[in-house]
Amino acid sequence: MNKTYILEDLDCAHCAAKIEEEVGKLEGVVKSTCTFLKQKLVLEIDDEKAKDITKQVKKIVKKLEPDVEVVEK
């Protein structure tokens, strides 16, 4: 299953890479891709973990980039 998030106000390519790396370590995440120019985070995840993933993604993004809003697409 794929899940897409818009990262509003993401203004740092290095931060996008850190978000991609940290989210990629979450249990249930098969693949994590964060595109800085499109301000988009796309995850390939296990279906059973879908509900838990969103909360964890928001927590990681707030920790790394407090001004970024995570919008589930």
Side-chain angles (χ1 to χ4, degrees):
M1 163 187 221
N2 284 340
K3 223 163 173 45
T4 302
Y5 301 93
I6 303 300
L7 304 177
E8 294 180 349
D9 298 326
L10 179 65
D11 59 4
C12 171
H14 179 51
C15 297
K18 289 193 300 187
I19 290 169
E20 179 179 299
E21 183 181 340
E22 288 298 311
V23 171
K25 294 176 183 177
L26 291 174
E27 184 179 336
V29 174
V30 177
K31 183 178 179 185
S32 170
T33 306
C34 189
T35 307
F36 167 66
L37 292 176
K38 293 185 179 182
Q39 296 186 333
K40 189 184 291 186
L41 175 65
V42 179
L43 305 179
E44 185 179 325
I45 57 175
D46 295 336
D47 291 342
E48 306 98 42
K49 302 289 183 179
K51 287 184 182 179
D52 297 333
I53 295 290
T54 298
K55 283 198 320 192
Q56 293 174 340
V57 166
K58 287 181 178 183
K59 186 176 178 181
I60 288 170
V61 172
K62 283 296 174 191
K63 179 180 79 174
L64 296 173
E65 277 292 296
D67 296 332
V68 173
E69 283 297 317
V70 179
V71 179
E72 194 171 350
K73 192 170 178 187

